[in-house]
Amino acid sequence: MKFILAACVTFLAGTFMLSDQQAHASSIQMVPAGNRQKVQPKIPNGSQLRTDAQKTSFDKKYDKVRDLLQKDKKLLAKIKDAADTYSIDPIHMIGAIVGEHTYNINVFDYLQTYYTKAAIYSGMDMKFAYDGEDISEFLKRPQFESCAEFADSYALWSCRQAVWKNEFQGKTVDGKSFPRDRFSKVFFQPMYAGQTFGLGQISPLTALKLSDLVNKKSGIRKLDADHAAEVYNAIMKPDISLAFMAAMIRKAIDDYRDIAGVDISQNPGITATLYNIGDSDIHAAELKEKIKKSGRVVWPQENYYGWLVNDKVDDLAAIMEADEATSQKRIKQANAR
């Protein structure tokens, strides 16, 4: 009798749990496709100045990266594989690559260039440090003790980033002055002016945050801040950096679903926006507050970068469709032999 009662309790508990999960799933609101804003938001002056200095235009840079993607079948195959691993539509990765290379840097003419640069970076003797204090020593300061409770790399490095902002940024601590600047810029660009690198323009700090997820899903060895060259190799080498790109997009989709209750998986302009600005968990929490205060659904807004992706989404989708058609044709030809 006791066994039967226990079984009934277990069954009912499982039923209620399933009902809660179903209720949560049904409450998730799908973000409509397309842009919420009729005109493109203002493009930052920095992007304009870099483009002017290169004696080119945003339209030309867009055309260049789109054409590269269209021609490079090996790269498209790698993008598809990474997207499949993280259960996302490859259009999200295409959008992120196009946005980065339209507004932030010029795409190289060949994918091999990224492999070459990755090899150069990985062979250098470098470390993450500021003013003679390397990152491992800096993180031993008592202000970071509260972060020790976090095992996951994303939570751990997010905690450290928050401590930096609250306790060190723009302040003098123990007689040492620290810049009023981002954690990623102060400690994670030891030799170069840029803060993001590679095909996906990923920052070393972002890679360290996503290290556990990428290790779990892709089997790529976990990154260590004490081995800066390995971090740079990971974000410079396309085979590895594409996994970090996909992980970042997957994390953004999950954050907005779990925190804000909205599904952004069908809107590549929103995922591109979050890829551009980072910290998707923070922005999802901000959206949740907006929804709570308004008492109605509030859709996330695309920035200038995401606006372009949504505006060009048919053009970008055609890249994948053309590649798929070519692949199917090759399969039919091979089967006919």
Side-chain angles (χ1 to χ4, degrees):
M1 185 67 176
K2 289 181 180 179
F3 173 79
I4 294 173
L5 286 173
C8 289
V9 170
T10 302
F11 172 76
L12 289 172
T15 301
F16 289 136
M17 185 179 295
L18 182 60
S19 297
D20 288 343
Q21 291 172 346
Q22 290 172 335
H24 176 68
S26 65
S27 67
I28 303 297
Q29 300 294 316
M30 178 68 72
V31 176
N35 289 315
R36 308 280 75 80
Q37 303 177 74
K38 292 182 178 180
V39 296
Q40 186 177 27
K42 182 177 170 47
I43 299 171
N45 289 334
S47 292
Q48 188 66 63
L49 291 172
R50 282 193 296 271
T51 301
D52 291 344
Q54 294 161 352
K55 296 182 179 180
T56 185
S57 68
F58 294 129
D59 286 341
K60 289 179 180 178
K61 290 170 74 176
Y62 169 82
D63 289 342
K64 184 176 182 180
V65 65
R66 181 202 58 200
D67 292 346
L68 172 67
L69 288 168
Q70 206 159 28
K71 294 174 184 176
D72 199 327
K73 304 305 180 185
K74 289 184 178 179
L75 175 57
L76 285 176
K78 292 176 187 292
I79 289 171
K80 284 183 179 180
D81 286 345
D84 286 345
T85 299
Y86 291 83
S87 302
I88 60 174
D89 191 311
I91 191 67
H92 295 291
M93 298 183 68
I94 294 289
I97 292 171
V98 166
E100 288 296 336
H101 292 82
T102 298
Y103 294 115
N104 291 335
I105 62 169
N106 252 339
V107 69
F108 294 122
D109 291 326
Y110 301 101
L111 185 61
Q112 186 59 38
T113 309
Y114 286 105
Y115 287 104
T116 302
K117 289 180 72 68
I120 293 172
Y121 276 59
S122 64
M124 288 182 173
D125 181 18
M126 61 177 77
K127 64 179 180 178
F128 297 129
Y130 169 70
D131 193 27
E133 184 176 15
D134 66 41
I135 189 66
S136 59
E137 288 301 315
F138 179 66
L139 294 174
K140 290 178 183 176
R141 288 172 177 255
Q143 290 88 344
F144 292 98
E145 287 179 358
S146 61
C147 297
E149 65 179 277
F150 298 108
D152 175 73
S153 61
Y154 198 95
L156 176 63
W157 282 101
S158 292
C159 176
R160 290 168 172 174
Q161 186 177 17
V163 170
W164 161 263
K165 184 176 181 179
N166 296 327
E167 304 292 337
F168 293 93
Q169 185 173 312
K171 298 178 181 179
T172 298
V173 182
D174 297 329
K176 185 173 183 176
S177 296
F178 293 92
R180 189 178 296 279
D181 217 329
R182 296 185 300 278
F183 190 35
S184 59
K185 186 175 181 181
V186 175
F187 271 92
F188 295 96
Q189 53 166 25
M191 299 175 66
Y192 305 92
Q195 297 174 53
T196 55
F197 302 86
L199 182 67
Q201 287 296 283
I202 300 168
S203 76
L205 180 56
T206 297
L208 288 165
K209 283 184 175 183
L210 294 169
S211 181
D212 280 358
L213 176 58
V214 172
N215 171 259
K216 179 181 178 181
K217 299 288 287 185
S218 300
I220 294 170
R221 187 169 64 179
K222 292 183 181 182
L223 300 178
D224 186 338
D226 288 336
H227 299 93
E230 290 185 9
V231 177
Y232 274 105
N233 183 61
I235 59 181
M236 287 295 297
K237 193 173 182 179
D239 293 12
I240 304 175
S241 68
L242 286 172
F244 282 91
M245 282 190 69
M248 189 173 177
I249 294 166
R250 179 74 261 168
K251 180 76 167 56
I253 292 171
D254 291 346
D255 284 342
Y256 269 66
R257 180 197 62 215
D258 298 339
I259 298 172
V262 297
D263 186 345
I264 61 174
S265 64
Q266 303 302 309
N267 193 309
I270 297 300
T271 57
T273 295
L274 293 167
Y275 190 89
N276 176 235
I277 63 179
D279 297 323
S280 58
D281 52 340
I282 294 174
H283 295 294
E286 292 171 348
L287 180 63
K288 180 181 179 180
E289 281 301 307
K290 289 180 182 178
I291 293 172
K292 184 178 178 181
K293 288 180 180 179
S294 68
R296 58 181 179 80
V297 176
V298 178
W299 299 129
Q301 296 280 318
E302 66 281 348
N303 69 353
Y304 70 99
Y305 178 118
W307 192 95
L308 173 79
V309 172
N310 272 342
D311 189 56
K312 302 286 190 180
V313 70
D314 290 340
D315 191 26
L316 300 179
I319 295 173
M320 304 304 297
E321 290 168 3
D323 183 62
E324 184 66 28
T326 300
S327 297
Q328 291 298 325
K329 184 177 179 181
R330 286 175 181 166
I331 292 171
K332 287 181 179 179
Q333 289 174 341
N335 291 335
R337 288 172 187 162

